[in-house]
Amino acid sequence: MRSEGPSLLASELRREQSASQPAQDGDQHALPLTQDPAEPGYHPRAYQLEMLEESLRRNIIVAMDTGSGKSLIAILRIQAEIERCPEHKLVWFLAPNVALASQQAKAIADHIPSIQSRLLVGADGVDRWTNQWTWDQVLNGVRIVTSTYQVLLDALVHAHHCIASHPANRIMQDFYYSRDVADQGQLPSILGLTASPIIKNKAGNLEILEANLNAISRSPKLHRDELLRYVFIPKLIPIVYPPFNELTRSQALDSLGRIRASLNIEEDPWIVTLRSDESTRESAELRKAILDHKTSCQYQLKSLNRKGEIVYQELGSFAADWYISTCVQRLQSNIPDYITEFDSLPVKENAYLRSQLSGIQLSPSSDSALLLHEIYLSPKFHMLVDFLIGQEIASFIGLIFVKTRAEVSVLAHLLSIYFRTRDAFTVSTFVGSSYASSQRADISDLVDLKLQKDTLADFRSGQKNLVVATAALEEGIDISACNVVVCFEKPPSLKSFIQRRGRARKLESKFVLMLSANEDPKVIGTWQQLEKDMQQAYLDDMRLLREIQAIEEMEETDMEFTVESTGAKMTLADSISHLNHFCATLPNRGFAISKPLFVFNHGAHEEVDRSITAKVTLPISVDLSMREASSAPYQTEKYAKRHAAFEAYIKLYHGGLISDNLLPFQGYQEGDSNLEIIDEKVASVIEVSEQIDPWYVVAAEWQKAKENETCFEATITIYDGDCVIAAMQILLPCTIPSIPPVSLYWNESSLFTALIGTPRRISYSSADMHRAAQVTSTLFSSVFSKRMIEEKLDFVALFVPPLFEEIQTWLDNHRGTNNVQMMMENNLLSCANPGVGLIHDLSKSGAAFIFNGIQDALNDLPELLSGDKSTEGEQFESELCLTVSKFPKRADFLHEVQNQNRGQNITRGTHVLRAQNCEIDRLPFKYSCFSALVPSILHHMGVHLLTRHLCDTLLSSVNFADLSLVRTAISSTAARESVNYQRQEFLGDSVLKFFASLTLMSTHLQWHEGLLSQSKDHIVSNFSLQRAAVEQGLDRYIITKSFTGKKWRPAYVSEVLGRKLPENRMLPTKTLADVVEALIGGSMLDGGYEKALSCLRIFLPNVPWSSVAQMQHVLNSSYRFSLSFPPHFSHLETLIGYSFNLKALPIEALTHSSYLGPNTSSSYERLEFLGDAVLDSIVVSTAYAHEPPIPTPILHLIRTTVVNGHFLAFLCLLHSTSVTRIDMITSNIDNSVTPIEIQKPLHIWMFMRYLSPAIRQAQKACLARFESLRERVVECLAHGNSVPWALLARLDAPKFFSDIIEALLGAIFVDSHGSMGACEAFLEQLGVMGYLRRVMSGTVGLYHPKEELGQLAGTEQVRYESSTDESDRAKLVCVVWVGEREVARVGDGSNRIEAETRAAEEAIRVLKSEK
């Protein structure tokens, strides 16, 4: 054993024995009796916290009533000690017996799974660990040991080579008080636990006990009123049974007695062995064995005879016959199971016993024989049955205490087969399991300890409703509260009476004493008087409560708090209701404490100073600076409690958590942080401003340009691949933004590209402008003549040939038309002539055609005219004709040719025209082609002009370098532009969430997660963003109309400036919000956090945005306080691959809101809030940057898949490291000890600090599901072709598993000053990044089955109907309906989501098979 000794000794104490001896507690039930620990709302009582605080100050013995929750105090104290003591120190929990030690060891391991703890009992062979090395190996890495007193004494004795007689006393006297004065500072702390001594023992015993343990006794009397509400008084029922009838003797018992009497001691195997050995033939050992008949075989027969006699006396001759017969038959049949926990009998002794007992007279073994021998059962048994049958069986939960293990086996067997009881009760047994490694076998013991391992669990769950037990079950074992407790024999001591009585803790429970009619009347009177005394003590306590209530009625105090700005007022009388309401508004995800806890303190000398002060503690999610408040002294708890609540509420008000209306603050509101939450429900479509016409701005600029006689020109070149089709200069009065190449779809097979060159300023004269207008008119006339206003030349956009000085020549050569027939006759018309213009058929209203060739061969016309309905029925004879194709009527070349037009070549259909009906433009075809493309080019240019206008005005502070990001952001999907905002909105949504979370966290250091989440949700809501868009005028820049060109006509300055446009339009609010997020995403892409911050300040100016570096510094600085870093958290740092500089961060990240122990700053919710945003940011930015780019819908699916609570919870359960512990294997041959290494897994979830027993129950249930699903989920994540949605839903992991992952991520972010690399490294180690890469590869189907089924169903409605399985109420059945047809049905659903997911998968399979 370590020479330093333990840091804390926690001990269960006996009371009624000499106070110098350790004593045992009657019950270690860890909660008030009226509350189930599995309930999410369970939390420790104030009196338990009071005892914890007292224990942290000094050594104490907690004296509390049975069932009031002492185990919880012990676990809290152990956890606090582990976190504050050096790593080489131990906590040693001592219990009086193995059963209680086993229970407490399990409870400790369940509540603190990240700490290595171990149970040491005699069965481990500790009595053979006789050297320091063995103990050093066993305790290596162990922080908590649970054992009986003897085990610790063995450790101390063997380690320090001293001998002791009584375990508990020697531990204290020889190893505690024996230390030198200089070494006193190293003494371990002590916590004792005992039931409160309502009936006092001998005077002075308490003082002796305190002196022995160097502790003082403490009871939570300050909360007596609360404590009494959870402890109920059972009704004492004495049952007096008639004397035993000796007439019906047991044949088996009598024959056993005769066999014993006839034994020849000289034939005993042990005597034979001693006589055969020369060294022992004349020894004193032999003589003593013969004289005293002390041999193993004699012991076995005597034990069987003695226990058979007890069974006979208590239960009757049939019971004794069955008991002895069963013991003999099991020995004769060589069934060793019932003695497997002891060493086997030596072969010779086994054979000797079997031989001697073969002559015993056995009773019928069939259980049906009981009907024939009912008269041979004792009257005591029949009176017990009469009582049991008279109880309400449906709600029956009972315990029967008997004296011996033999009675346990026999009585349980009788009750399970007896015709009156076998159908009413499900019976189980429980006996003690304490034994040393040297303890020998006992053929008279029928109890199989293996069969009772599930007894308590079955009893708690209701599978068993009656347990027959020895005194082992009265000593603190955690069992369900009973409504019936029966003492089959009278309790052996006052202690047993109190302990057993304490088991009957349900309301209106019964405590039964079975007493013989031959019992001394004084004995019966003693028990009855004891019951009266206990009831009187209860009544005295209630009388005290009534006296306190009388004082409270007189102690009226006027006190109020008023907010001047609103007139809101709070008085002392309503302070508690105010405080309760505040606590009720705190976030509660289950298992957490949601109300204030009050602790009271009396004056130093209670007999003289009767003043009381109260301290209130609010839930741990409240900032530490506002978590506690104290009252002034009062005469009663009531007013002290009110004043503490009053002070607490005022502190909350000054801390900003209470509004000026004295109501809980609801979170950040834009423009006024004190406003209440407003209704954010808004119509899906609202009226907003019409989009700005960018050409209006251009038209207005022409006036200035004319005065300055300057403008800007840029070359527009049309390419077909590498071939230049046409080139013209555009003239505008304002600078032309840099515009990327424009794709132009000439037809279904030809894609042109327009390049717009760098603009330059030029000077011009009015004559130049006039000629430029003429060129523009000429250009447009060839294609849009019917859409032009005659004689009007003030075009908004002017076009001139590339050489500005050749305008007049260009006009002279290209204006007007020529007669086709004349040109043909003069051989001026041929396909080789590049100057050929469009052909106009004057007989068809001047329709435009593209010249293909001349046709004058009459015999070729039929082939040419085939299928040409336009020339059908015409007679061409031998006149000159042209073959032409239609010039496209489309004006929209920005979009691909629609599907309905594919299959027909819209420009190459061959037609034949009479030359005499045609004229030809002098303007070459390439310019007509350019003219046709102008509407599309101008629209594209207009979008960029609009973009630049937005950047020069509203977005000027962002200083966008890449205007295409802005153009993308303002282009809605309805506009059918080449780009739209969806991808950038996906990124911007994450950036906004990240900034909002970081800003709120750093600005409001005292806000709890509820306010942070509510405020963040408000900031990022569509309501806030759409309102910001309208208020800032962004709505005027959003492009929603699709360009078609159908109504396009040249724009004139005078007309544009005089045009009255609609002032408003209707837009979806989501579009407005999406554009804001797309601009935020664009600014992030353009210049990182800095430009994103500038963009945020434009649209949400009332949010106190700061730079990321500044916010990171504020958060990092806020955690520079000292908490005691638990030594075992070093394993956590290894597990997550990160070592913290600020040790308070991992402690907070792993502290659940149910935890109330010391060494705590806050619960993990704030860090989880931040970590959620960090995780989202990493996943979104990684997926967004993937090459090739991932389609936006898939990006959303990736985020849903990876930023998923069930997925993170699974990784939390999966990810682990291991620590080594040493176990010892003791040889039965030579007692040698061999160490073996055992690897114990350590998971992240094991480090979570919590208090609610319901959390552990939820953990255990989830772990069971995890183990059954683990391999399948791992396989799906590594190699599956789809996300295992159904399996993850079946896991149904509680949220705290994923919460602590996000909280740790937030902690790493704060500790590393915002290093995304450090955060990504943690996610890489956890497995998040690896799976993210896999889903980005496109090999994993991401759609949730319900979503995929909705797509397969098309227009038909999908319905899910879930119901409970009639054959198993714990399972769900789900039916999927598509339309009016049942498509799939699944059963065995563990929860609704899982059942519906699996049903959807089956429905998908069915529908796909039908196609």
Side-chain angles (χ1 to χ4, degrees), residues 935-1159:
S936 298
I937 295 172
L938 289 182
H939 172 79
H940 190 75
M941 186 174 289
V943 170
H944 284 79
L945 288 169
L946 182 67
T947 300
R948 188 189 64 186
H949 188 269
L950 174 59
C951 292
D952 290 344
T953 54
L954 179 59
L955 301 180
S956 60
S957 60
V958 179
N959 193 24
F960 271 97
D962 185 356
L963 269 63
S964 66
L965 296 169
V966 179
R967 177 213 169 189
T968 299
I970 63 176
S971 299
S972 71
T973 53
R976 296 178 63 236
E977 293 292 309
S978 58
V979 292
N980 64 63
Y981 60 61
Q982 287 187 339
R983 274 179 59 82
Q984 279 184 206
E985 180 270 331
F986 172 76
L987 177 64
D989 173 78
S990 179
V991 173
L992 174 60
K993 176 182 178 181
F994 174 75
F995 262 95
S997 300
L998 192 56
T999 297
L1000 291 167
M1001 275 280 289
S1002 60
T1003 305
H1004 304 287
L1005 297 174
Q1006 296 181 332
W1007 278 14
H1008 55 78
E1009 180 271 336
L1011 286 178
L1012 295 175
S1013 292
Q1014 199 164 20
S1015 300
K1016 183 260 295 181
D1017 291 344
H1018 171 72
I1019 291 172
V1020 306
S1021 68
N1022 283 350
F1023 172 81
S1024 295
L1025 297 180
Q1026 63 87 16
R1027 186 176 65 178
V1030 173
E1031 289 179 351
Q1032 299 301 325
L1034 178 64
D1035 52 327
R1036 299 179 301 154
Y1037 295 92
I1038 299 175
I1039 304 169
T1040 56
K1041 293 180 180 178
S1042 175
F1043 173 74
T1044 63
K1046 290 182 178 179
K1047 296 183 179 180
W1048 187 92
R1049 62 191 185 92
Y1052 302 95
V1053 172
S1054 58
E1055 192 175 52
V1056 169
L1057 293 177
R1059 184 188 307 159
K1060 186 175 182 181
L1061 297 175
E1063 295 182 358
N1064 296 313
R1065 56 177 169 162
M1066 303 301 291
L1067 273 187
T1069 52
K1070 187 178 185 306
T1071 298
L1072 292 163
D1074 287 350
V1075 171
V1076 173
E1077 290 180 327
L1079 286 171
I1080 295 170
S1083 62
M1084 183 70 180
L1085 294 171
D1086 195 60
Y1089 287 145
E1090 184 178 350
K1091 288 194 175 181
L1093 179 60
S1094 298
C1095 190
L1096 288 168
R1097 285 171 171 164
I1098 292 171
F1099 292 105
L1100 300 167
N1102 293 311
V1103 178
W1105 306 108
S1106 297
S1107 69
V1108 172
Q1110 182 178 350
M1111 292 188 288
Q1112 290 166 350
H1113 175 73
V1114 169
L1115 285 177
N1116 187 276
S1117 299
S1118 70
Y1119 282 93
R1120 294 176 187 174
F1121 54 85
S1122 178
L1123 285 181
S1124 178
F1125 188 66
H1128 66 283
F1129 269 42
S1130 59
H1131 295 301
L1132 170 71
E1133 293 182 323
T1134 301
L1135 184 57
I1136 66 175
Y1138 183 85
S1139 180
F1140 286 93
N1141 297 303
L1142 302 175
K1143 300 302 185 181
L1145 281 164
I1147 296 175
E1148 181 174 312
L1150 288 160
T1151 299
H1152 188 268
S1153 54
S1154 68
Y1155 186 73
L1156 291 177
N1159 196 41

Side-chain angles (χ1 to χ4, degrees), residues 562-631:
T562 303
V563 180
E564 293 185 5
S565 62
T566 62
K569 181 185 298 183
M570 177 185 65
T571 65
L572 200 65
D574 55 19
S575 60
I576 293 179
S577 61
H578 273 71
L579 196 60
N580 284 333
H581 175 59
F582 168 79
C583 291
T585 64
L586 296 175
N588 190 339
R589 301 173 181 177
F591 313 110
I593 299 168
S594 58
K595 68 178 185 178
L597 294 176
F598 293 88
V599 175
F600 302 95
N601 289 293
H602 285 249
H605 303 285
E606 188 175 343
E607 297 79 4
V608 179
D609 181 7
R610 300 193 64 181
S611 63
I612 300 173
T613 58
K615 182 181 75 172
V616 61
T617 302
L618 302 184
I620 194 174
S621 56
V622 177
D623 186 75
L624 190 60
S625 64
M626 296 176 279
R627 196 176 301 157
E628 294 183 351
S630 298
S631 74

